[in-house]
Amino acid sequence: SLLPRPLGTLVRRQLSQCMCVLLKAEGRALVPLLDALISALTKACKEAKVPGADNIKCNALSCMEALLRDFGVLCAGRLGEIYTLAAKGCLKGEKEDPVVRTAALCVLVAIVRHGGSSAQIHHEDALKVCKLVVHDKQSANV
């Protein structure tokens, strides 16, 4: 219910940390819970097509980054879906809010750092996306 609201960076970070603490407290059936949560966050991102929906995308991407950071390999079943969403968030160009692009880049970094061996297929693709973003920024500054 907090996803559509405009949250600042600190509140967004607290929301994602609280979500991870709640999941860690569960202990049992963690993989199905993670799977359901990631699919809900992905659905929220994909359905956020109205103007001003950048808050929803940014909040969801921030939560995904925290899940990857804390649970890494347990999210392996959804890494492809998460990668696709983050890559689209990075490569939208000038239409995308810079905060959303930054959150998407942080998700890509989390995939590479915490995805383990299951994320190896995405390493090279994530590097290409990061290079494209840097190239876009350099050509925009020229």
Side-chain angles (χ1 to χ4, degrees):
S1 67
L2 283 175
L3 283 179
R5 296 193 175 104
L7 303 176
T9 306
L10 294 175
V11 177
R12 193 178 304 120
R13 188 177 305 137
Q14 288 297 323
L15 171 69
S16 59
Q17 286 176 352
C18 287
M19 184 180 55
C20 289
V21 166
L22 289 172
L23 282 172
K24 284 179 184 176
E26 174 56 33
R28 301 169 289 133
L30 192 58
V31 174
L33 279 174
L34 280 170
D35 199 37
L37 187 58
I38 289 172
S39 63
L41 290 171
T42 305
K43 182 180 176 186
C45 269
K46 287 180 180 176
E47 291 177 355
K49 298 191 190 269
V50 294
D54 292 336
N55 295 321
I56 296 172
K57 290 179 187 176
C58 194
N59 296 341
L61 286 169
S62 179
C63 290
M64 283 187 207
E65 178 198 1
L67 289 174
L68 286 166
R69 185 180 58 240
D70 287 359
F71 299 105
V73 178
L74 294 177
C75 301
R78 295 287 182 154
L79 278 180
E81 195 174 341
I82 295 171
Y83 168 77
T84 304
L85 192 65
K88 284 182 184 176
C90 288
L91 298 176
K92 286 284 186 175
E94 296 302 316
K95 294 184 281 185
E96 199 70 64
D97 185 20
V99 178
V100 175
R101 289 182 86 178
T102 304
L105 280 171
C106 290
V107 171
L108 289 177
V109 169
I111 287 173
V112 171
R113 277 192 185 159
H114 306 289
S117 61
S118 56
Q120 284 180 345
I121 10 174
H122 303 295
H123 287 190
E124 188 175 319
D125 296 334
L127 182 62
K128 287 178 187 176
V129 170
C130 291
K131 283 181 180 180
L132 283 172
V133 169
V134 169
H135 179 70
D136 287 348
K137 282 301 195 185
Q138 287 177 343
S139 62
N141 289 336
V142 173

